[in-house]
Amino acid sequence: MSDTEKFRTEVRAWLDKNCPEEMRDGDITAENQCWGGRLWEFQSEAQKIWFERALSKGYTVPIWPKEYGGAGLSAEEAKILDEERQAINARKPLNNFGISMLGPALLAYGTDEQKAQHLTGIARGEIRWCQGYSEPGAGSDLAALKTKCEDKGDHWLINGQKIWTSNADISDWIFCLVRTDFDAPKHQGITFILFDMATAGISVKPIVLISGHSPFCETFLDNVKVPKSYGDNNASVVGEINRGWDVAKNLLVHERGMLGTMSPLRGTTGPENLGKFAAEKIGLDATGRLDDPALRQNIVQAELDNWAYNLTVERMTDEANAGNGLGAKSSMLKYAASELTKRGTELRMEIEGTTAAIIGEDGIEYGSLANNWLYNRAYSILGGTTEVQFNIISKRVLGLPSQ
Amino acid sequence: MLLILNEEQEMLQDAARGFLAEKAPVAAFRKIRDSKPADGFCRELWLEMAQMGWAGIIVEEEHGGSGFGYVGAGVLAEQMGRNLTASPFFSTSVLGATAIQQFGTEKQKEENLAAISSGESLFALAVDEGPRHNPGRITFSAEPSGNGFTLSGAKTFVADGHVADRLIIAARTSGEEGDTHGITLFLVDADAPEIVRERTPMVDSRNAANIVVDGLEVTGDAILGELDGGYGALEGILSAGRAVLSAEMSGSAQQVFGVTTDYLKEREQFGQKIGSFQGLQHRAAHLATEIEMMKSAVLKSLKDLDADFDNAGMTCSLAKAKTGQVAQLATKEAIQMHGGIGVTDEYDVGLYFKRVHVAQQMFGDAGFHSDRWARNSGF
């Protein structure tokens, strides 16, 4: 038996023994993930048990080094773990922005002290992170950000406003882009800084979207004093002052890769089961075809595109693990995923007809189809609009000239 | 299963890239088109390919092949698609070899696989009977007579049909038009006097033929696979054909897209490189993404054929559907983005557009395969 086969056998046995039945429902919607953090309360005993067992094995962040709470798995081993987890429909034990976005950036740019403190906290589910990137005047044009960060000797003084800060109201720390030099060209005066959301001067206001609910918040920074170092030699700034754009870009690649692979594409609301669902709702004609030819064609096309998309995630991951980094190609996944995600719920809404448009006396219910359908409009805007992804692909993947 | 090529397959790809660039670039195809040789391809080149192991790429080594499997065949087809290489590779090394290797008797294997691998014997698969692919509707008749059968009927769009030494004919031995049961595959010599073969020049300038058979007597030995149960074998052969055609179309699409982006970087209009125009950039970015989706679909179908041949049908179908769409989009955009030069005969992109059109029709276009997928999924 080869080493990989042996590893697969071990992983399968471990999952079988340690993953509680209730965590094998294949349900990976935002609502039932384990997010972690100081405010986190487990939704069930099974979720807690699953988290703790995975944690003790380093499986909350399998490819991170063991010294930071990971399992130190190779990319190939991590893929096997993921395949075996999906084979039993098990949820991820822990899922948050620290794992998918900040962690990889810190591994690339953090000091040993920053890694020791922050990565360990993420791996253990102790600290939940949010992202302070966008501002009211700096969305797609992110580098136009204006939040001001001044050097006050023993601390940084931050003033400004962030927007679209997902889960800011329930996060513990923020990774934030601030402007430290207003005279430099706009990409060159930006600094990447980490601070505790409990710091005085921070206030947070949730944003209501057309979906009735959302994770988004406005975050106001009013004379926020951020220490230059948290503890001994543990800088709040990651990378160099005024060179935060490099860190931010690295993180965006991970964010787009993550957005390109996240639910609800693969969950129960994803496009892969639309046809089956439609057949139950609408019925078949005498030839065994869905009794609505135009809808049938749209559903097949979505399923087909979804299938090609999932394979592309797999192939690009395999390529990245073999040494050809994903790089700007993550923008392709992000673009494709957001379009598919929208189409998935649009088609669900069509299949259900007017039934799906009924929302009840208390408004749009969180987690309902209508809620997801409306919220999904944001997918081709958040994390960089489709048009921004197209700009990135055309310039950084295809090498087309700038004007 | 990793969705990337292994080292051996990458070496094959490099070898194919080098060989075809030297021996069979688009210019060679153009020469064949313009000089109209009776074969429709270059026999010498084909024998050279055979010597390199390409003709027997999927044939097991014990039967004289190189045993590279369908991923290997796809790697070659992709490079041929990039160069528009005309050869009997598809009809013989993919369809013929698959038919014999997967469904032939030991005797049939011994008689045919080495001859395929050496390049000496050419095969053609005769399935369709009308302008649109529909393997369920076979009416070509095989009546029992004596201790054998009498074959009569007509077939259309048989790739390399006019040059093939042996034909694999899907015929009806029982049941009615539309039944999948009752279809039988027959392996026959193509030069029998009862067989009339007429080459049909196609818009892609590649080989296709109409075949009419009138009262050809064959024995039971001519049966390939099971009597009345040939549909399953036919599906298997078609699956392999669909996956490899997809690989070819993928190669054509990638090549034409590369040519197009190069052009966008050079061509100036309104005092600027046209590649700096957002209207073109965004279409190029969309197409680049679709091309990545297509590549994944193709590789998966080839890997599935190698891993579990009997159950690869749906992924091959999906690959064909996706590739048909994307390759057509790529060649259409190539012409449009090139502007006037794109519609000239002198420029190559039009040749790709024509080939992709024919290839995506062969063995089912995107609509055919979408319908198949939906039916298979119960809707």
Side-chain angles (χ1 to χ4, degrees):
Chain A
M1 196 187 283
S2 72
D3 285 351
T4 51
E5 284 168 48
K6 199 166 151 235
F7 179 75
R8 189 181 290 279
T9 312
E10 283 168 15
V11 160
R12 192 176 293 168
W14 185 86
L15 285 168
D16 188 52
K17 184 160 170 254
N18 291 286
C19 182
E21 272 308 315
E22 289 163 76
M23 292 295 104
R24 303 185 193 191
D25 55 5
D27 216 345
I28 47 169
T29 53
E31 301 93 79
N32 63 22
Q33 295 284 294
C34 174
W35 292 94
R38 291 174 195 147
L39 296 173
W40 178 254
E41 284 175 21
F42 288 102
Q43 294 160 326
S44 68
E45 188 60 22
Q47 193 181 49
K48 183 165 184 275
I49 290 170
W50 178 219
F51 167 78
E52 284 170 353
R53 287 176 182 169
L55 178 64
S56 69
K57 192 81 177 162
Y59 283 172
T60 56
V61 284
I63 59 169
W64 289 11
K66 285 186 177 167
E67 57 183 311
Y68 305 133
L73 298 190
S74 69
E76 193 182 2
E77 288 168 335
K79 182 175 178 177
I80 291 170
L81 173 61
D82 221 37
E83 283 169 356
E84 292 300 321
R85 180 182 62 78
Q86 288 182 22
I88 60 166
N89 260 331
R91 299 184 198 174
K92 277 189 179 172
L94 179 67
N95 194 17
N96 60 48
F97 291 179
I99 294 175
S100 53
M101 288 155 65
L102 179 62
L106 280 181
L107 281 165
Y109 289 91
T111 61
D112 289 345
E113 291 79 8
Q114 286 170 331
K115 290 182 200 171
Q117 180 190 344
H118 298 303
L119 293 180
T120 307
I122 292 166
R124 301 187 59 79
E126 291 163 357
I127 299 295
R128 183 169 181 179
W129 288 83
C130 60
Q131 178 189 51
Y133 270 31
S134 295
E135 295 180 8
S140 289
D141 184 13
L142 180 59
L145 64 92
K146 289 193 171 57
T147 290
K148 188 177 182 183
C149 177
E150 297 167 276
D151 188 341
K152 293 289 179 186
D154 65 333
H155 68 272
W156 300 101
L157 184 69
I158 301 179
N159 277 287
Q161 186 195 339
K162 293 289 172 183
I163 196 167
W164 311 120
T165 331
S166 297
N167 305 118
D169 50 343
I170 43 176
S171 291
D172 307 307
W173 277 63
I174 186 167
F175 48 95
C176 198
L177 292 180
V178 291
R179 187 160 296 283
T180 33
D181 184 348
F182 277 82
D183 297 326
K186 70 179 187 179
H187 289 88
Q188 288 168 29
I190 293 169
T191 297
F192 189 99
I193 191 167
L194 314 173
F195 52 90
D196 194 322
M197 287 294 280
T199 316
I202 302 176
S203 55
V204 171
K205 192 176 142 203
I207 300 170
V208 179
L209 296 187
I210 54 174
S211 57
H213 309 263
S214 93
F216 296 125
C217 298
E218 289 178 287
T219 302
F220 301 92
L221 306 166
D222 184 15
N223 285 322
V224 178
K225 286 183 186 175
V226 174
K228 288 203 165 167
S229 184
Y230 283 91
D232 267 354
N233 195 25
N234 189 6
S236 48
V237 168
V238 179
E240 291 174 45
I241 312 291
N242 292 332
R243 298 295 301 272
W245 189 247
D246 298 338
V247 186
K249 267 199 316 190
N250 176 282
L251 189 146
L252 282 172
V253 167
H254 290 290
E255 175 177 8
R256 283 160 189 160
M258 180 267 296
L259 287 170
T261 57
M262 72 189 295
S263 63
L265 260 173
R266 292 183 172 190
T268 47
T269 53
E272 60 264 45
N273 296 311
L274 284 172
K276 214 175 286 173
F277 180 69
E280 283 167 23
K281 288 272 172 186
I282 296 169
L284 306 174
D285 68 13
T287 65
R289 293 180 172 94
L290 189 69
D291 207 359
D292 186 334
L295 182 59
R296 178 175 189 258
Q297 184 51 41
N298 290 337
I299 291 172
V300 179
Q301 191 65 49
E303 291 197 354
L304 208 134
D305 288 341
N306 184 58
W307 174 81
Y309 162 80
N310 283 338
L311 288 172
T312 305
V313 172
E314 186 182 344
R315 181 171 62 84
M316 287 188 175
T317 306
D318 288 344
E319 280 175 5
N321 292 340
N324 306 313
L326 186 58
K329 282 189 172 179
S330 67
S331 285
M332 294 179 165
L333 296 183
K334 198 277 176 181
Y335 152 60
S338 42
E339 290 307 315
L340 268 171
T341 305
K342 288 192 293 183
R343 272 161 72 194
T345 42
E346 282 163 17
L347 286 166
R348 279 279 305 258
M349 289 294 287
E350 273 193 58
I351 292 164
E352 295 209 31
T354 50
T355 314
I358 298 171
I359 59 170
E361 295 293 338
D362 297 329
I364 302 168
E365 192 188 335
Y366 184 54
S368 67
L369 174 59
N371 171 229
N372 286 333
W373 161 68
L374 290 163
Y375 178 67
N376 284 358
R377 302 314 302 171
Y379 271 93
S380 46
I381 301 168
L382 59 82
T385 60
T386 289
E387 290 68 26
V388 163
Q389 308 307 328
F390 279 171
N391 288 345
I392 292 168
I393 296 164
S394 54
K395 293 196 179 70
R396 299 230 291 269
V397 181
L398 304 177
L400 295 179
S402 300
Q403 280 216 329
Chain B
M1 183 202 288
L2 289 178
L3 213 53
I4 46 178
L5 298 182
N6 64 29
E7 209 174 316
E8 211 182 13
Q9 290 154 350
E10 277 183 355
M11 282 166 65
L12 178 69
Q13 188 177 48
D14 289 344
R17 193 180 286 131
F19 177 85
L20 294 170
E22 191 197 331
K23 305 272 181 140
V26 183
F29 168 69
R30 198 180 269 282
K31 212 168 140 194
I32 288 170
R33 182 193 74 161
D34 295 340
S35 63
K36 300 188 174 73
D39 287 337
F41 63 93
C42 172
R43 292 233 177 215
E44 279 172 24
L45 179 73
W46 175 239
L47 288 175
E48 264 191 80
M49 289 184 186
Q51 275 165 14
M52 290 190 298
W54 293 10
I57 193 79
I58 64 162
V59 176
E60 300 298 344
E61 289 175 34
E62 56 174 303
H63 288 110
S66 44
F68 260 94
Y70 289 97
V71 174
V75 162
L76 295 180
E78 184 178 318
Q79 294 304 317
M80 293 179 194
R82 282 182 174 272
N83 292 284
L84 294 176
T85 307
S87 86
F89 177 76
F90 179 68
S91 56
T92 300
S93 308
V94 178
L95 302 177
T98 297
I100 307 289
Q101 181 155 279
Q102 294 289 336
F103 307 103
T105 60
E106 278 309 311
K107 185 157 174 273
Q108 286 168 331
K109 286 181 189 175
E110 269 165 36
E111 285 172 359
N112 294 289
L113 289 177
I116 287 175
S117 303
S118 67
E120 73 192 61
S121 187
L122 300 185
F123 276 63
L125 175 72
V127 188
D128 285 322
E129 297 173 14
R132 292 180 59 80
H133 179 61
N134 196 340
R137 285 214 171 151
I138 285 167
T139 60
F140 189 106
S141 106
E143 293 281 333
S145 76
N147 59 356
F149 298 84
T150 304
L151 308 187
S152 293
K155 294 285 185 182
T156 60
F157 194 33
V158 181
D160 290 324
H162 73 296
V163 283
D165 303 297
R166 312 212 78 192
L167 296 176
I168 297 161
I169 299 176
R172 184 161 291 289
T173 36
S174 69
E176 314 241 316
E177 180 181 346
D179 292 348
T180 52
H181 183 79
I183 289 169
T184 305
L185 301 183
F186 290 92
L187 177 61
V188 304
D189 282 334
D191 51 10
E194 296 86 353
I195 299 178
V196 176
R197 300 186 278 165
E198 178 203 5
R199 187 176 177 192
T200 48
M202 308 288 292
V203 69
D204 66 344
S205 306
R206 297 281 273 273
N207 280 338
N210 285 336
I211 290 178
V212 177
V213 181
D214 185 12
L216 174 68
E217 305 278 343
V218 298
T219 67
D221 286 349
I223 292 175
L224 180 65
E226 292 167 35
L227 175 66
D228 286 339
Y231 192 74
L234 182 60
E235 290 257 279
I237 302 163
L238 290 172
S239 292
R242 286 161 182 160
V244 177
L245 265 179
S246 297
E248 188 204 310
M249 284 193 283
S250 170
S252 294
Q254 290 176 60
Q255 181 67 23
V256 98
F257 183 62
V259 167
T260 305
T261 48
D262 286 348
Y263 187 75
L264 294 178
K265 291 173 198 174
E266 286 159 18
R267 171 73 168 166
E268 289 188 12
Q269 291 276 269
F270 306 105
Q272 285 170 34
K273 306 277 191 228
I274 61 170
S276 68
F277 300 150
Q278 207 172 47
L280 294 178
Q281 286 183 346
H282 285 198
R283 274 160 54 194
H286 165 73
L287 182 53
T289 307
E290 287 290 305
I291 284 174
E292 293 299 328
M293 307 288 155
M294 170 186 71
K295 282 160 65 181
S296 317
V298 171
L299 186 54
K300 173 69 173 172
S301 66
L302 296 165
K303 291 224 165 203
D304 276 5
L305 282 169
D306 281 333
D308 184 5
F309 184 89
D310 294 336
N311 293 307
M314 287 321 293
T315 42
C316 294
S317 218
L318 290 166
K320 187 69 169 48
K322 189 71 194 165
T323 309
Q325 292 172 333
V326 177
Q328 283 191 100
L329 179 66
T331 51
K332 284 195 271 194
E333 286 286 66
I335 290 179
Q336 181 64 24
M337 289 186 184
H338 275 86
I341 192 178
V343 283
T344 61
D345 181 69
E346 186 191 352
Y347 204 68
D348 287 341
V349 294
L351 300 176
Y352 288 89
F353 178 72
K354 294 180 210 179
R355 173 58 190 157
V356 162
H357 171 79
V358 175
Q360 68 88 24
Q361 295 237 317
M362 182 178 270
F363 297 174
D365 61 11
F368 174 91
H369 289 291
S370 299
D371 178 68
R372 192 164 179 263
W373 161 258
R375 278 184 164 279
N376 192 62
S377 311
F379 71 99

